[in-house]
Amino acid sequence: KRRGGPTPPSSRRTCRCGTHAFLAILAVVSVTCHIFIHVFAVQLSEVVGVNKLQARRAAERRAVAGVGGPARLRRPGAAGPGQPTASPVAPTAASAGCDRSLDVLLIHEHHLKAIGSDMRLLGLLLQLREQGHRVSLLFRGKVGNGERSPPTRELYRIIDGPGLENPLQLTGGEAPHPHPAIYEMVDLEGLATLASQGWFDAVLCSFWFWRDPAPSAAELLLPTLLAHAPAGRRPFIGVLSDDAHSAKAAMMAEWEPTDERRAFWREKMRSLPPRQAAVYSLADAVVHISDADSRLERATFNGTARAWAVVRMSLRSFTRDDAAAGGRAAGGAQPAVAAPYAGFVGNGITPTNHLAIAWFLDKVWPLLRRRFPALRLRLVGLPPDDRPKRKHGQPCKPDAPTRCGWAWGTQYAGREAESGIDALGFVSDTQLVAELLSWRAMVVPILRSTGVNTKLLPALQWGVPIVLTTVAANPLAIPPDGSVALLADDEASFVTQLARVLDEPALWLSLSSASSTHWHTLLAADRDASDVRELMRLACAVRAAPEEARTLALPHAPRGAGHKLLSDLPLARPHPRSRCFSASAPAVLVAVHGASAGEGPALWVHELWEAICRHCELRCFHGSGGRRPRLRWDVIIEHELTLEPARLAHGAAAAAAVLAPRPLRIVHMASSQWHASLHYFERGSSLASTVMSESSHARLPAMLAAAGLPAASVLWRSHLDPLRNGSAAAAAAGVREMLGFLGVEEPDRERLASVAEDTYARFVRHPTSPQWLGCFLDSAADRDLPDGPRTFGHTSQSCAAACTGYPYLGLQGGGQCFCGRTYGSGHNHSRVSENRCGHTCPGEDGKSPPRWCGGGWRNAVYAQARGSSAAVSSGPRTGKGPGAVYGAARSE
């Protein structure tokens, strides 16, 4: 051929054969790739999602780093779980501008009391004030005057506020007292009013699950603070997580002695991680009290927080009163008491405390009593009591079925005094000092713990020798060599070490002096307060960065739901006719926040609008859209709104310009925030939906006005309250008002309000959750459930919403949604074991029975529980699936 001659026939045959082989190989590779992508679509989407999240976090880090940031405050990097490494943020010249006074709001579950967590906050308050920051306090719950420590008037003196005896009440409709002040929350409306003032540069919120299953202060208050902050004045959010909550639950599940208590902690192991992740995603920094806790939590939650910081326990809240000590100096003579005392300080309600003492009484105390018959164990702090609160303070019975008293469940229950055990209960600060100075040693038998054992600090302060576990020693930098305190991690070593302290006066004097010396070492480190200074520099740097760089986690929804909604908004029908409107019917976007609203209220909205669309002959699209555009729509019911208010407003303005002269209307159904918060214990990830709901409710009117749309004529807002008996009439009144806003004529308005009342009453009477039917095989060539959006990322609730009007729904491959009128028909769709239907759907872990999300070619099939539609007469229904066309012939 190179010589210009013809190609030999054999060469032509070889060429053709090679071409055929190449095409065959290409076809096989193509089919294999398509099968691989379909089977592993969920996993691939997760990988893509993680990469996008990491890219977004990197952009945020660059945005903040560009205006300076502190050293040693680590931000999440690309390291995955188990590799919690992140590079420090080096300070820049711009960080010097952050050395200024900030306005800080410090939030806690209740008024400060004389317990370790509250002493930590008091120390932080004192550090902030010493550095010149202005501080206000916000308490979620009430505390009686007798329990407040320090008293409210003393707290007012510290913050330089009005000298009052009680906190100021935050109630809706009343202007809050100017900052600085001490506030006590009454309702969320009052908190919204406070947030709208824009007074605070930083909000530091404690994060405890003391009220579980009720929401924590962080879960309840942060959504309102974020949503109602003025534009450009969104505060820095620091979450003070002074415990590794999920890790502690795992420890307690191993430590508890009974099956009932182990099951209790295993349930917390399931419920706490999504709640922590949801709160951390709202924070600009997650702040721990020790390096150990920070490392532990970063290993689990590294991708959820923008920054990780450590602010160590301040000693400023521990003041020394030499008068209370009777003038005794640390390292002085041993206490002169008739019998030697060993003591423990701790709140018995805390599980680590009462389990530690139960172990000590069971394993150590019998051996010590045989060797030192006169020895007495002094227990300071509220005793354990798992009885109902109305029984607290009543005597504990030795055979009580629930934990009651320090010796409950041990051989000493009911005969504590004769066994050398003195339960002193809660004591005042002065009484505590006198008690400590009467002890030969403090014992701290905490075998498993996170956080910092603040009970050690008074003993160090007053030079009391300590025998403690390695776990308790580490957070306070107590060396393991016995130079400051004696370590003991089992019963034998506890007996040996306590015997040494009791028998060797020279050792007692040495440990007493060493305790006091270590206290002064900690004091010297505390005076600098560099941890707090760096945190405030970070707060200033974050506040200086553009707010758009501080994105919040979006609610769980089908992939690309927000972008899909923006692209579909301009595709409404241009000139529809409807029996319910004298002029052209408006194009209506109904925005719902399904995860936070709950199944009953959210699915009731879909059923209501199905009835409205049937009666008014409108094209109604449910859910978050499918693979195809929602062409020529009249009503879109977006089950989980994922567009931030500014994006939605700009998208609506662009769509309104395209659709004119047909008007565009937005119906925003915000979730009841308080009702949503009561369910975080079972669906903690719904917090992101609550934040989006509250933010949209607060900001959407202003965003629409900024985009050129008059909110008064475009937007109708309401709250979706939980379904309750007796509320059907109120629901009908709200629907009547909404229909009037949309321009529905009076006769149809009244008829549809009646339908709304009937539908609401039916939802109250009957279950509204999808009902599990089983796991069934499926095939691409013969779909068992042929209709539906067929998009991934659904839960059972969002798929039920998308399948409004269908009796059955199915989830496949981890969240691909299908709808149908029959199921399990034919040999290709036989039933299989439910363990072949994948995992539970995201955010639905706490629901019962389990909400399976389907496996590869296996449908998790559910029945719609709300029965047939209660719609009034309508034109014929044509089309299939979500987005079905109602009354198409007449409308066209």
Side-chain angles (χ1 to χ4, degrees):
K1 187 175 182 180
R2 283 193 301 269
R3 292 191 299 268
T7 303
S10 59
S11 299
R12 290 195 297 270
R13 285 195 299 270
T14 302
C15 182
R16 286 196 297 270
C17 291
T19 302
H20 293 162
F22 173 75
L23 292 175
I25 293 171
L26 183 62
V28 170
V29 170
S30 177
V31 171
T32 302
C33 290
H34 279 80
I35 293 174
F36 178 85
I37 291 172
H38 184 82
V39 172
F40 295 99
V42 176
Q43 292 88 338
L44 291 172
S45 68
E46 291 175 355
V47 171
V48 172
V50 169
N51 290 337
K52 288 182 177 179
L53 178 63
Q54 291 176 349
R56 189 185 74 187
R57 296 300 191 206
E60 293 171 358
R61 290 196 301 274
R62 288 193 295 271
V64 173
V67 295
R72 292 167 47 202
L73 289 180
R74 288 174 284 276
R75 300 174 180 275
Q83 297 176 320
T85 57
S87 58
V89 181
T92 66
S95 66
C98 293
D99 290 328
R100 64 178 180 85
S101 176
L102 299 182
D103 294 287
V104 181
L105 178 64
L106 195 58
I107 301 177
H108 193 41
E109 292 282 353
H110 52 238
H111 192 291
L112 299 186
K113 300 190 289 187
I115 59 177
S117 58
D118 297 16
M119 299 295 281
R120 186 277 205 279
L121 282 182
L122 178 58
L124 177 58
L125 169 63
L126 294 171
Q127 288 177 317
L128 290 169
R129 291 295 294 136
E130 286 179 12
Q131 294 180 9
H133 303 295
R134 295 176 294 275
V135 183
S136 284
L137 299 171
L138 171 60
F139 300 134
R140 174 202 181 166
K142 295 180 179 295
V143 169
N145 287 332
E147 296 182 72
R148 299 175 184 176
S149 179
T152 306
R153 184 176 290 277
E154 174 64 15
L155 282 180
Y156 274 121
R157 185 193 65 77
I158 293 172
I159 67 171
D160 196 20
L164 304 176
E165 294 292 338
N166 293 295
L168 298 158
Q169 305 294 296
L170 277 181
T171 59
E174 294 185 12
H177 189 281
H179 160 70
I182 301 176
Y183 307 104
E184 191 172 80
M185 197 193 79
V186 175
D187 51 45
L188 291 173
E189 290 76 11
L191 180 63
T193 304
L194 177 66
S196 66
Q197 307 303 313
W199 288 334
F200 303 109
D201 299 303
V203 172
L204 304 180
C205 182
S206 65
F207 188 29
W208 295 98
F209 291 103
W210 293 333
R211 301 169 185 250
D212 193 38
S216 65
E219 292 170 306
L220 182 63
L221 306 184
L222 290 184
T224 299
L225 288 169
L226 287 169
H228 292 271
R233 286 293 302 165
R234 175 176 153 189
F236 169 88
I237 301 293
V239 172
L240 306 177
S241 188
D242 288 353
D243 220 338
H245 303 289
S246 301
K248 186 172 184 177
M251 295 177 188
M252 301 307 298
E254 294 180 1
W255 196 2
E256 285 280 7
T258 65
D259 291 339
E260 180 184 0
R261 296 297 297 175
R262 284 195 290 269
F264 170 81
W265 286 106
R266 281 195 294 269
E267 173 59 22
K268 285 189 175 293
M269 289 171 60
R270 180 204 63 78
S271 65
L272 293 185
R275 296 175 70 178
Q276 287 183 255
V279 170
Y280 292 170
S281 69
L282 302 181
D284 295 294
V286 177
V287 185
H288 287 96
I289 199 170
S290 70
D291 290 314
D293 281 2
S294 186
R295 287 193 300 268
L296 193 61
E297 293 244 290
R298 288 204 309 272
T300 305
F301 302 106
N302 195 41
T304 61
R306 294 181 178 84
W308 299 89
V310 174
V311 174
R312 292 163 184 81
M313 179 81 180
S314 172
L315 307 185
R316 284 163 171 76
S317 55
F318 294 83
T319 57
R320 178 164 181 142
D321 183 359
D322 287 315
R328 183 195 131 176
Q334 296 187 45
V337 292
Y341 289 167
F344 174 85
V345 178
N347 187 346
I349 306 300
T350 304
T352 50
N353 287 336
H354 65 237
L355 289 174
I357 293 303
W359 174 85
F360 187 84
L361 293 177
D362 186 46
K363 301 293 185 182
V364 181
W365 193 239
L367 303 176
L368 284 171
R369 287 282 289 176
R370 280 199 292 270
R371 188 164 177 179
F372 304 96
L375 180 65
R376 301 197 70 83
L377 179 63
R378 311 277 282 181
L379 301 173
V380 177
L382 294 174
D385 200 338
D386 290 346
R387 299 175 300 177
K389 284 192 174 182
R390 66 179 182 275
K391 294 187 176 182
H392 287 193
Q394 299 179 11
C396 293
K397 296 180 180 180
D399 57 348
T402 57
R403 181 179 280 114
C404 178
W406 289 106
W408 180 88
T410 72
Q411 58 181 306
Y412 305 112
R415 53 186 191 91
E416 290 88 346
E418 65 187 73
S419 304
I421 303 168
D422 301 322
L424 306 181
F426 181 83
V427 300
S428 67
D429 293 344
T430 302
Q431 291 171 324
L432 176 60
V433 173
E435 180 64 28
L436 285 170
L437 296 179
S438 70
W439 295 354
R440 294 284 186 90
M442 171 184 274
V443 294
V444 187
I446 304 292
L447 301 179
R448 296 176 176 87
S449 182
T450 56
V452 172
N453 287 284
T454 55
K455 58 182 66 63
L456 293 170
L457 295 174
L460 293 172
Q461 182 183 15
W462 293 103
V464 178
I466 305 170
V467 179
L468 75 169
T469 60
T470 304
V471 169
N474 286 337
L476 290 176
I478 295 176
D481 58 5
S483 60
V484 172
L486 300 182
L487 298 189
D489 291 315
D490 54 50
E491 56 264 35
S493 56
F494 258 103
V495 173
T496 300
Q497 301 289 41
L498 272 170
R500 291 180 62 197
V501 176
L502 294 171
D503 288 338
E504 303 175 23
L507 177 62
W508 189 95
L509 290 172
S510 173
L511 291 175
S512 177
S513 177
S515 289
S516 181
T517 300
H518 192 70
W519 166 261
H520 288 288
T521 301
L522 296 176
L523 273 180
D526 183 55
R527 289 192 189 99
D528 181 51
S530 59
D531 293 342
V532 175
R533 186 172 292 107
E534 289 178 0
L535 182 65
M536 291 297 98
R537 284 177 177 170
L538 175 62
C540 190
V542 168
R543 288 277 294 109
E547 279 193 5
E548 54 269 21
R550 301 164 61 196
T551 56
L552 298 174
L554 295 177
H556 180 81
R559 295 199 298 266
H563 177 76
K564 180 74 173 169
L565 177 60
L566 288 178
S567 62
D568 287 347
L569 279 180
L571 304 181
R573 287 195 293 174
H575 304 293
R577 289 175 295 169
S578 170
R579 69 197 308 177
C580 299
F581 300 87
S582 58
S584 176
V588 182
L589 168 63
V590 183
V592 185
H593 305 272
S596 54
E599 284 179 333
L603 296 180
W604 173 73
V605 171
H606 287 275
E607 193 76 10
L608 169 67
W609 276 97
E610 168 125 334
I612 293 173
C613 289
R614 283 181 181 274
H615 177 72
C616 295
E617 301 170 329
L618 299 172
R619 292 171 174 243
C620 192
F621 285 75
H622 295 275
S624 298
R627 294 180 175 180
R628 297 178 180 178
R630 289 172 279 199
L631 296 171
R632 303 178 67 78
W633 60 271
D634 294 317
V635 180
I636 292 177
I637 305 100
E638 190 77 359
H639 181 73
E640 190 67 65
L641 184 65
T642 59
L643 287 174
E644 296 175 348
R647 288 189 65 199
L648 176 59
H650 284 93
V658 174
L659 297 177
R662 185 181 186 183
L664 175 66
R665 299 289 181 262
I666 299 174
V667 173
H668 181 238
M669 311 291 282
S671 303
S672 168
Q673 187 177 345
W674 177 248
H675 173 69
S677 70
L678 297 179
H679 295 274
Y680 291 149
F681 75 97
E682 60 182 0
R683 46 176 191 267
S685 59
S686 62
L687 179 63
S689 176
T690 304
V691 174
M692 182 63 73
S693 167
E694 193 68 14
S695 178
S696 299
H697 185 77
R699 299 177 183 273
L700 193 53
M703 295 295 103
L704 287 170
L709 293 177
S713 59
V714 172
L715 177 66
W716 188 83
R717 298 184 297 167
S718 178
H719 275 91
L720 268 179
D721 293 321
L723 302 176
R724 300 188 184 95
N725 285 317
S727 299
V735 170
R736 189 180 292 108
E737 180 184 345
M738 175 190 71
L739 294 174
F741 170 82
L742 296 176
V744 175
E745 295 185 317
E746 182 66 27
D748 296 293
R749 193 186 316 167
E750 292 303 318
R751 191 173 186 183
L752 289 171
S754 177
V755 170
E757 186 170 0
D758 293 342
T759 307
Y760 189 97
R762 180 164 49 84
F763 267 67
V764 171
R765 291 193 305 268
H766 302 293
T768 57
S769 302
Q771 302 298 298
W772 170 252
L773 296 176
C775 186
F776 294 84
L777 295 175
D778 199 16
S779 66
D782 181 20
R783 288 288 186 185
D784 190 19
L785 301 166
D787 300 326
R790 300 194 178 194
T791 49
F792 283 93
H794 283 274
T795 64
S796 64
Q797 178 187 334
S798 65
C799 188
C803 293
T804 298
Y806 284 90
Y808 305 111
L809 59 119
L811 291 159
Q812 185 177 130
Q816 189 179 17
C817 179
F818 296 90
C819 315
R821 305 197 180 280
T822 62
Y823 71 95
S825 58
H827 66 279
N828 289 332
H829 309 130
S830 58
R831 184 166 184 166
V832 296
S833 172
E834 73 176 32
N835 61 14
R836 300 178 68 183
C837 258
H839 303 285
T840 53
C841 294
E844 296 189 318
D845 292 338
K847 295 182 178 180
S848 181
R851 301 295 180 85
W852 305 111
C853 238
W857 300 109
R858 284 155 182 80
N859 283 328
V861 180
Y862 300 85
Q864 297 276 23
R866 56 195 185 276
S868 60
S869 173
V872 294
S873 62
S874 67
R877 173 174 175 167
T878 64
K880 294 182 178 181
V885 181
Y886 301 104
R890 178 170 179 170
S891 298
E892 295 289 352

